[in-house]
Amino acid sequence: MSSTTNNEVTHDFPPLGIRTFKDGTVERLKGAEIVPPSTDPITGVRSKDVVIDPQTGLSARIYSPKTANPTHKKLPLLIYFHGGGFCIETAFSPMYHNYLNSLAAEANAVIISVDYRRAPEYPLPIAYDDSWTAIKWAASHSQRGGDEVWLNDYVDWDEVFFAGDSAGANIAHNMAVRVGLEGLDGARLVGIALVHAYFWGKEPIGKEGDNIMRKAFAENLWLFVCPSSSGSDDPLLNPVKDPNFSKLGCEKVLVCVAEKDMLRDRGWYYKEELEKSGWWGGAVEVMEAEGEDHVFHLFNPTCENAAAMLKRVAAFMN
């Protein structure tokens, strides 16, 4: 992945269109488009952006369904972590903005979409640290003492969920483990929804070894975003290797997989191993989308399988 020619590119990851230059700047050829917060004309969901940590630039986009009212029943809170291999896309990307508008309306929930810092400028574990900072910031509103009115007024802090897709699902899992280890003052993590989670391992599971190119992509991406890692059995990437796997700090888990996704077998493996781990929580559910590939619901949000998955995730939260 490193450039061997004497030019301005010093490091790159061609599959995701990322180039790093001698001056330290990074060029992203995809996943760089952003849209502003708004009131969605279809769902009525409102959104706004907040800065969580001015020193690091950590920020988020918050979504509030049109039913939110401080005098009515409080709503579940979903903290969402976007995908993109830890290095492309943001909380402000059009496809995440559109998806979370739909999810906030369907689930009737407040959503915080975390804009963690990305590799390669900020290699892992920075994204995990940023995500935990965002979670703690959110929970600081549980006694109505925070700066963000929507979180003070609308949220039921006994109904908190984490979710994400791909790399974001990896983050959601690892944050739930951290809740299990450290607790979350003022808030109760009920469940996590992991959509096409980017988990991997040194030993292939199921059909993972059948496609050499895809296998190499999964392994090389991890070393690109986490160069200090020990490799594919790093507990951050292979949760089954984590001695704290059974300490997952939530009551239920929804795992969404897609039939044609190279990460499909790893999702089923996660479910099976979690059930055997001694985890204190309840049921682990798996929803499989037949005939679909990785994060299909973001690229084709109006298809039948995407609509079904949206409803399943929403139902998981209610």
Side-chain angles (χ1 to χ4, degrees):
M1 291 186 294
S2 296
S3 175
T4 58
T5 58
N6 188 24
N7 60 22
E8 61 184 351
V9 178
T10 60
H11 201 77
D12 60 5
F13 194 75
L16 291 180
I18 297 176
R19 292 178 175 177
T20 304
F21 295 87
K22 287 182 179 179
D23 64 0
T25 60
V26 174
E27 179 184 35
R28 289 177 170 84
L29 304 180
K30 62 173 73 172
E33 185 182 358
I34 64 173
V35 293
S38 62
T39 298
D40 183 58
I42 298 175
T43 63
V45 171
R46 297 176 294 163
S47 57
K48 61 180 173 180
D49 296 342
V50 296
V51 176
I52 295 171
D53 186 345
Q55 290 188 327
T56 64
L58 173 61
S59 58
R61 178 161 292 177
I62 307 180
Y63 298 82
S64 173
K66 63 181 180 181
T67 58
N69 187 308
T71 63
H72 294 171
K73 181 182 177 181
K74 303 298 184 183
L75 304 177
L77 173 68
L78 172 64
I79 302 180
Y80 193 88
F81 308 98
H82 70 81
F86 299 101
C87 54
I88 63 171
E89 305 295 349
T90 71
F92 317 120
S93 299
M95 66 181 182
Y96 284 106
H97 181 72
N98 294 335
Y99 173 67
L100 294 177
N101 273 327
S102 298
L103 184 56
E106 184 70 33
N108 196 29
V110 175
I111 299 177
I112 301 174
S113 181
V114 180
D115 196 48
Y116 53 84
R117 287 173 291 173
R118 301 168 298 171
E121 306 100 309
Y122 303 100
L124 296 178
I126 288 176
Y128 298 114
D129 295 338
D130 281 354
S131 297
W132 185 244
T133 296
I135 290 166
K136 297 287 282 184
W137 170 82
S140 72
H141 293 76
S142 61
Q143 302 302 317
R144 300 174 60 87
D147 296 330
E148 179 44 56
V149 174
W150 288 0
L151 300 184
N152 286 335
D153 290 352
Y154 301 155
V155 170
D156 179 351
W157 292 99
D158 286 325
E159 296 289 333
V160 177
F161 296 82
F162 298 164
D165 63 281
S166 197
N170 175 300
I171 293 175
H173 161 80
N174 281 292
M175 294 302 98
V177 170
R178 194 156 179 178
V179 170
L181 294 173
E182 301 182 25
L184 190 59
D185 290 344
R188 170 175 162 259
L189 180 63
V190 178
I192 58 174
L194 310 180
V195 178
H196 309 165
Y198 177 31
F199 298 140
W200 204 248
K202 186 176 180 180
E203 295 298 323
I205 301 296
K207 297 180 180 179
E208 288 176 352
D210 293 354
N211 189 318
I212 296 175
M213 294 296 292
R214 284 194 167 196
K215 183 175 182 292
F217 173 83
E219 294 170 353
N220 291 336
L221 173 60
W222 179 252
L223 293 177
F224 177 69
V225 299
C226 192
S228 63
S229 173
S230 59
S232 295
D233 276 345
D234 186 323
L236 292 169
L237 182 62
N238 187 352
V240 174
K241 296 294 185 180
D242 186 352
N244 295 312
F245 185 39
S246 65
K247 296 184 174 68
L248 196 68
C250 59
E251 301 170 20
K252 59 181 182 175
V253 177
L254 172 64
V255 179
C256 296
V257 299
E259 181 185 9
K260 296 182 179 179
D261 185 7
M262 70 173 181
L263 301 174
R264 179 249 183 208
D265 293 329
R266 193 64 58 166
W268 279 103
Y269 181 64
Y270 175 95
K271 183 255 191 190
E272 294 161 2
E273 292 299 311
L274 184 59
E275 288 179 331
K276 295 188 295 187
S277 71
W279 171 55
W280 65 274
V284 189
E285 309 171 44
V286 176
M287 178 184 190
E288 179 162 348
E290 295 183 0
E292 303 289 1
D293 212 329
H294 193 61
V295 297
F296 71 92
H297 63 296
L298 297 176
F299 297 116
N300 190 11
T302 61
C303 73
E304 184 177 343
N305 282 331
M309 192 170 75
L310 183 77
K311 290 183 180 297
R312 183 69 172 272
V313 173
F316 179 74
M317 296 171 55
N318 289 280

